[in-house]
Amino acid sequence: MSKVLIINPILYTAETNEIPRVDSIKDTMIYTMCLGFLRAGHEVTLIAAEDYRPVRGERYDFPVLWFPTVCRKLFMPRCFPYMPGIRSYLRKHKEYDIIVTSEVFATWSYTAARVAPKKTLIWHELAAYNNMLHKIPAKFWYRFVARFLMRRARVVPRSAQAGAFIRQFMPRVETETIDHGVDLEKFPVSERKERDNSFAVVSQLIPRKRISHTIEAFAQFVKTGQESYSLHIIGAGEEETALRQLVKKAGIEERVIFHGRLSHEELLPIVAACKALLVSTKKDNNMVSIVESIAVGTPVVTTSVPYNAAYIRREELGIVEDGWSAETLARIVAENDRYVKNCLAYRNYLSNVSCAERFLALVK
């Protein structure tokens, strides 16, 4: 049994500096990953930023330590928090066998790489410079801080793109990639032999997600004689009113259902019964919604933007096509059985336990 420390201060995405407070963190990606280590038979502790502590107290399956952030105007908690308490904690607590931190461009990863470089694995997702302040801080960090001061730590990329990017700056980058894991206990495979005539979107309703493109392509698909199909839009955001107007203008109000924000328990049966998850994003890294869709056996239609697109194309877990259209939807429907079968064959590789075991194999 190993003792594992996970440092992941940013638990979920905040589009502005006003970080929304949630009731629970148990649906977050990193909590699921911690469960993977726990179920693989190891002790795990999570360090997160105080700014993301739920508004209500909740019990966790493992210790969660909340560290306060400082200098918040310079080190904004939504994207680049600074928690000086991590350094003294690592110096005092030397019992951990492995320390997994999120991102090379991160103050906490720098601290771990300096205090305990032999134990530190930096789980890296970004495949480009962070856009903050015209990319100047990120360029300085990667070219000088990472290259010279963090070089003794090992890096585990979350995608092939992330690996290619970070190898420019750090010498110890693993060849194996480890994506976000999912809790397969929460993602049972539907025993239904026939899927509904429907598609799903699971996303914030914001401009970069390009939900309008999805609606337009679906409207054209319906007009090709597919009037029995429905589109489930799961999520909330600033564009909801405009998207509802677009649906009305396209004359498909009876075919599009806006569910708002749903819990995993509520959304999973919808996604599991669909023909495909639809993704039109123009800016994203690894998307958890894609991993979760594959885990329930639902193929994905996506642009090439998400880093997940590489293995979706390689393993034929759906269709990767920039500017996908109604014709693309017709293809995913026509070959749905094959894509579903491929997703079900791949899902065990995406489990949080499998991901945890691959991390631990790196330090044996």
Side-chain angles (χ1 to χ4, degrees), residues 38-58:
L38 191 67
R39 289 174 183 164
H42 306 278
E43 292 184 24
V44 61
T45 300
L46 171 64
I47 289 180
E50 177 70 33
D51 306 75
Y52 295 84
R53 186 197 288 261
V55 292
R56 300 175 184 173
E58 60 178 346

Side-chain angles (χ1 to χ4, degrees), residues 10 12 36 39 73 83 114 116 132 134 205 210 235 289 292 310 314 325-326 334:
I10 303 173
Y12 48 86
R39 289 174 183 164
K73 289 187 177 180
M83 295 157 292
R114 298 295 294 174
M132 181 175 60
H134 307 289
L205 308 186
R210 296 180 69 234
S289 60
E292 294 175 347
R314 183 185 68 243
S325 63

